């Protein structure tokens, strides 16, 4: 595997550095400091301030969503979105095990139970075929929704995750879920700037959720957003994430269990500045992906590229190696050489708190878990 030395040299050339090269680091090249100082001068640094509203409008404009609600992180956005589409205690929620842990945790925060189904090899996201097979085998429609015949639990939502920014096969998935009256909530945490058949991810299901953690394409330290084309759902989301407080000039009255999830103005100021830089980041990452693709083709390694009818943001770029042994060797050698690489996540059903959950055969997920490696993907 002498290509590892070639890869190391190639990455250092791309980032013009002989120092440690991280997997994905933020870039602050615009109005970040100015907007932060403006926020401090205004004294509105918490959950009330002009930048919060401004960021929501920017998200609506960029994604094409009717309503965006800024929250403290992507997990909170997903938790609230699931509650809004009707997920409640004891329900089952279909999702994928090949995902960051937050996907399953958001389901559990609603006291619901994840059902882990396989992914597609081409998207690394939830497989419509796997969902169809599960529902045809286990589901039945009743007057009040879809139920699992085996457990007796209601199946109240489906959560596909756009892995590393690669959109799942949404049309097919939503058609299947509509047949069974199951709402789709997109975990779009990693996919700001990704499109499926010309539509931005997160806007195609009933709701979508984004993350602006420090390792995302744009960041505000923490932060997340819920987007939807259902104005009523979006209005309710904003209400629930601001502690379910009824508007009043001075009285404090809360008539529902809400959450203190509103994004602080400081974070929103940073987010607004980052949104101004988003297109330049995406352009550079797309150029880098093209250069990676050419390099890896020349050494016979499979670089993961977008598929037909999609446009990915190339948040985290990745290669598919031949087996787990080669994957582990690649990880060891590159990290020892100061090039940060990481494996795909451990499949969630292998973790202690989710080992009791239903899963199908997971043939594709197991295949990818043993072979996928993320490589440095920051905008240069």
């Amino acid at each position: 595997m002498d290509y590892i030395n070639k890869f190391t040299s190639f990455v250092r050339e791309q980032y013009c550095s002989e120092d440690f090269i991280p997997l994905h680091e933020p870039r602050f090249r615009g109005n970040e400091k100015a907007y932060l100082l403006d926020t401090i001068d205004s004294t509105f640094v918490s959950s009330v301030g002009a930048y919060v509203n401004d960021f929501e409008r920017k998200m609506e404009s960029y994604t094409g969503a009717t309503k965006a609600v800024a929250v403290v992180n992507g997990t909170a956005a997903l938790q609230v979105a699931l509650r809004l589409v009707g997920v409640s205690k004891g329900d089952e929620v279909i999702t994928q095990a090949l995902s960051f842990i937050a996907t399953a945790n958001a389901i559990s925060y609603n006291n619901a139970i994840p059902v882990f189904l396989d992914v597609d090899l081409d998207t690394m996201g939830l497989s419509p075929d796997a969902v169809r097979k599960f529902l045809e085998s286990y589901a039945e429609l009743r007057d009040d929704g879809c139920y699992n015949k085996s457990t007796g639990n209601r199946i109240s939502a489906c959560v596909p995750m756009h892995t590393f920014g690669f959109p799942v096969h949404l049309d097919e998935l939503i058609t299947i879920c509509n047949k069974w009256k199951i709402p789709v909530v997109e975990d779009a945490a990693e996919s700001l700037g990704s499109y499926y058949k010309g539509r931005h991810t997160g806007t195609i299901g009933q709701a979508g959720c984004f993350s602006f953690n420090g390792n995302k394409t744009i960041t505000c330290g923490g932060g997340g957003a819920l987007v939807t084309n259902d104005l009523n759902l979006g209005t309710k989301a904003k209400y629930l994430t601001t502690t379910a407080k009824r508007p009043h000039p001075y009285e404090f009255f809360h008539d529902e269990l809400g959450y203190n999830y509103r994004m602080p103005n400081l974070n929103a100021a940073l987010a607004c500045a980052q949104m101004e830089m988003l297109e330049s980041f995406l352009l550079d990452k797309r150029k880098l992906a093209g250069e990676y693709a050419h390099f890896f083709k020349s050494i016979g390694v499979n670089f993961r590229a977008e598929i037909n009818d999609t446009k990915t943001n190339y948040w985290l770029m990745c290669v598919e190696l031949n087996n787990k042994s080669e994957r582990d060797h690649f990880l060891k050698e590159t990290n020892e050489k100061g090039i940060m690489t990481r494996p795909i996540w451990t499949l969630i059903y292998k973790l202690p708190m989710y080992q009791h959950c239903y899963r199908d055969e997971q043939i594709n997920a197991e295949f990818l878990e043993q072979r996928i490696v993320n490589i440095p993907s920051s905008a240069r």
Side-chain angles (χ1 to χ4, degrees):
M1 283 182 278
D2 60 345
Y3 67 78
I4 293 178
N5 287 328
K6 294 179 181 178
F7 168 72
T8 300
S9 298
F10 179 80
V11 173
R12 295 202 180 283
E13 289 173 5
Q14 294 303 312
Y15 288 99
C16 303
S17 175
E18 292 299 320
D19 299 324
F20 172 75
I21 298 178
L23 191 66
H24 199 289
E25 62 181 341
R27 301 289 188 226
F28 302 116
R29 302 170 179 165
N31 289 310
E32 291 88 357
K33 290 181 180 179
Y35 291 174
L36 285 171
L37 286 174
D38 181 54
T39 307
I40 292 169
D41 289 342
S42 76
T43 73
F44 288 99
V45 297
S46 191
S47 57
V48 175
Y51 284 107
V52 181
N53 295 329
D54 188 25
F55 178 56
E56 290 174 338
R57 302 296 83 76
K58 288 180 184 296
M59 281 295 294
E60 291 163 3
S61 175
Y62 186 80
T63 64
T66 301
K67 182 73 172 177
V69 179
V71 294
V72 291
N73 55 53
T75 312
L78 188 54
Q79 177 189 349
V80 173
L82 289 171
R83 175 176 164 182
L84 287 168
V85 300
V87 175
S88 58
K89 185 176 181 179
D91 288 354
E92 295 179 7
V93 176
I94 295 169
T95 192
Q96 59 200 69
L98 189 73
S99 183
F100 182 56
I101 189 64
T103 308
N105 284 350
I107 295 168
S108 296
Y109 295 157
N110 283 284
N111 297 303
I113 305 161
V115 171
F116 297 117
L117 302 184
D118 208 357
V119 296
D120 285 322
L121 288 176
D122 58 353
T123 68
M124 299 180 286
L126 186 62
S127 168
D129 283 340
V131 174
R132 181 188 294 108
K133 289 175 184 177
F134 172 77
L135 292 172
E136 289 176 351
S137 297
Y138 291 98
E140 66 177 6
L141 280 174
R142 301 179 188 172
D143 291 341
D144 58 342
C146 183
Y147 282 79
N148 187 323
K149 294 182 291 186
S150 177
T151 64
N153 298 326
R154 189 167 65 104
I155 304 171
S156 57
C158 176
V159 183
M161 198 276 283
H162 302 300
T163 305
F164 308 139
F166 291 90
V168 304
H169 294 293
L170 277 169
D171 279 354
E172 189 177 356
L173 184 63
I174 290 174
T175 297
I176 294 164
C177 288
N178 285 345
K179 175 183 176 181
W180 292 94
K181 299 182 180 178
I182 299 171
V184 173
V185 174
E186 297 174 63
D187 185 343
E190 303 171 356
S191 65
L192 186 66
S194 294
Y195 292 83
Y196 174 79
K197 295 184 178 180
R199 297 171 292 174
H200 199 288
T201 54
T203 67
I204 304 165
Q206 198 159 338
C209 303
F210 295 91
S211 169
F212 306 104
N213 188 35
N215 66 347
K216 295 299 189 292
T217 303
I218 65 167
T219 183
C220 51
L226 183 158
V227 301
T228 180
N229 290 318
D230 183 333
L231 184 58
N232 290 330
L233 189 148
T235 301
K236 185 68 177 289
K238 186 169 183 177
Y239 165 69
L240 286 180
T241 56
T242 50
T243 68
K245 181 182 180 296
R246 287 297 178 187
H248 192 278
Y250 49 84
E251 294 284 0
F252 292 90
F253 187 79
H254 311 258
D255 60 359
E256 196 171 346
L257 178 64
Y259 311 95
N260 190 14
Y261 285 173
R262 190 80 169 138
M263 179 185 283
N265 203 36
L266 274 173
N267 297 88
L270 194 58
C272 286
Q274 287 273 283
M275 283 294 288
E276 295 170 357
M277 303 299 297
L278 176 58
E279 283 303 317
S280 66
F281 294 161
L282 291 171
L283 179 61
D284 184 69
K285 287 165 71 66
R286 179 162 287 273
K287 289 180 179 177
L288 176 61
E291 287 154 12
Y292 269 140
H294 180 75
F295 169 78
F296 283 112
K297 184 178 181 180
S298 72
I299 60 172
V301 174
N302 180 22
F303 175 78
R304 283 289 186 139
E306 64 196 7
I307 63 173
N308 290 339
D309 294 325
T310 71
K311 182 179 181 181
T312 182
N313 62 358
Y314 287 108
W315 169 54
L316 284 186
M317 301 174 213
C318 56
V319 293
E320 180 186 312
L321 301 177
N322 291 318
N323 50 55
K324 187 176 184 299
S325 177
E326 184 176 345
R327 184 205 76 164
D328 291 346
H329 181 73
F330 184 90
L331 288 165
K332 180 178 182 295
E333 291 293 316
T334 51
N335 282 281
E336 286 180 354
K337 295 176 186 299
I339 306 295
M340 186 175 180
T341 58
R342 288 292 183 268
I344 209 166
W345 313 277
T346 299
L347 297 178
I348 297 175
Y349 60 77
K350 296 182 179 181
L351 305 177
M353 56 284 200
Y354 292 112
Q355 288 178 358
H356 66 285
C357 296
Y358 174 90
R359 63 179 177 90
D360 60 9
E361 290 183 313
Q362 299 286 310
I363 294 171
N364 293 341
E366 294 274 2
F367 178 92
L368 294 167
E369 182 193 32
Q370 295 175 11
R371 293 166 173 80
I372 294 293
V373 175
N374 293 125
I375 57 180
S377 305
S378 310
R380 293 163 297 181

